[in-house]
Amino acid sequence: QVQVVESGGGSVQAGGSLNVSCVVSGYPENRYCIAWFRQAPGKQREAVAGIWTGTGTSDVASRVRGRFAVSLDKDKHTLDLRMTSLEADDTAVYYCYAHSSWARCPLMVPAIVHWGRGTQVTVSS
């Protein structure tokens, strides 16, 4: 059974930095997608960044490119999302998810996805 567990997050002032981590377990091979989405109150869910573990191919949504980056530890099955120059608009619940669809990795959501419970990131201006 695939499990996805987030950690990190918290509160920070605008301009600051935060890291969130995601640990994925249960895939028989090290070839799957780990990615981050976020959802702010009253807004639609949006893709943030992710990576295909088999090749290390990653992508970051244009809205946060240059400020956010992902880092994969394949041995620990962990994807870190490093967020810098945070803005109030980055305030959201950040969800990690995993799936096995290469074609939809990392910024699209296929039909079968394993979601974490989410972690709150709050940026005060």
Side-chain angles (χ1 to χ4, degrees):
Q1 181 178 357
V2 176
Q3 292 187 322
V4 179
V5 179
E6 304 101 335
S7 63
S11 298
V12 67
Q13 289 190 332
S17 300
L18 274 177
N19 294 338
V20 289
S21 294
C22 176
V23 180
V24 177
S25 61
Y27 280 101
E29 297 181 347
N30 209 347
R31 288 200 302 269
Y32 52 90
C33 188
I34 313 178
W36 288 93
F37 265 59
R38 68 184 183 184
Q39 187 163 23
K43 296 184 179 180
Q44 288 190 334
R45 183 181 59 187
E46 64 175 345
V48 177
I51 195 166
W52 181 259
T53 63
T55 61
T57 303
S58 64
D59 199 7
V60 179
S62 58
R63 183 172 179 177
V64 297
R65 194 169 294 149
R67 300 189 297 119
F68 289 16
V70 291
S71 176
L72 175 68
D73 185 329
K74 290 184 69 172
D75 293 335
K76 295 182 179 179
H77 306 283
T78 299
L79 183 70
D80 290 335
L81 176 66
R82 300 174 179 177
M83 303 178 285
T84 63
S85 301
L86 283 161
E87 304 167 354
D89 283 347
D90 295 318
T91 296
V93 178
Y94 283 69
Y95 296 92
C96 182
Y97 69 100
H99 62 81
S100 57
S101 174
W102 157 257
R104 293 188 172 272
C105 184
L107 300 182
M108 293 186 287
V109 181
I112 299 177
V113 178
H114 304 277
W115 289 95
R117 294 186 176 182
T119 184
Q120 178 70 44
V121 171
T122 302
V123 185
S124 57
S125 57

